[in-house]
Amino acid sequence: DDLFDEIKDSELFVLSSNYEGMPNALIEAMALGLPCISTDVSGARDMIENDINGIVVPINDKDKLVNAMFKVIENKEYASSLANNACKISESLRQDVVIEKWLSIINTII
């Protein structure tokens, strides 16, 4: 019932998908301020600026995924920086911001 209570003590969030549309679980983890690692699926590339607010690794590259996980777990300052930047995703996905983007697209079509 309460996602925050379930993941608030997590050290990181990992999305290891081969295919995604818009990964809601990734967005939620970022908004909660977790350092996030994702495979290079389409939706993740829209959300993560690599090494700024998360880490993107190639799909099916187990070694890079594991290395990224160790990098976050072993470097608390780096993890904290990713987490602090990740939670800013909620600003760019606020309802008024998204509506404005849609209206801009619609107005260029009409």
Side-chain angles (χ1 to χ4, degrees):
D1 291 331
D2 191 353
L3 178 64
F4 181 73
D5 285 339
E6 295 296 323
I7 65 173
K8 68 181 178 184
D9 296 325
S10 299
E11 289 190 51
L12 63 112
F13 175 84
V14 178
L15 181 72
S16 59
S17 298
N18 290 338
Y19 306 98
E20 285 287 336
M22 185 54 66
N24 289 326
L26 175 62
I27 294 168
E28 291 167 349
M30 291 176 75
L32 289 173
L34 291 175
C36 295
I37 301 167
S38 177
T39 49
D40 193 10
V41 292
S42 61
R45 280 182 261 126
D46 295 327
M47 300 295 119
I48 293 179
E49 293 179 68
N50 196 41
D51 277 329
I52 306 284
N53 66 348
I55 302 172
V56 178
V57 297
I59 294 170
N60 293 321
D61 193 331
K62 182 176 84 172
D63 292 335
K64 286 193 178 176
L65 181 63
V66 169
N67 289 338
M69 292 167 68
F70 276 116
K71 183 177 181 180
V72 171
I73 292 169
E74 293 174 345
N75 187 336
K76 299 299 180 194
E77 283 184 27
Y78 178 67
S80 180
S81 175
L82 292 179
N84 288 334
N85 290 326
C87 66
K88 296 174 185 173
I89 195 75
S90 55
E91 287 298 311
S92 64
L93 296 177
R94 281 189 352 249
Q95 181 178 349
D96 60 317
V97 173
V98 173
I99 289 172
E100 186 61 36
K101 287 179 183 179
W102 274 110
L103 289 174
S104 176
I105 291 168
I106 291 167
N107 286 333
T108 61
I109 296 170
I110 300 177

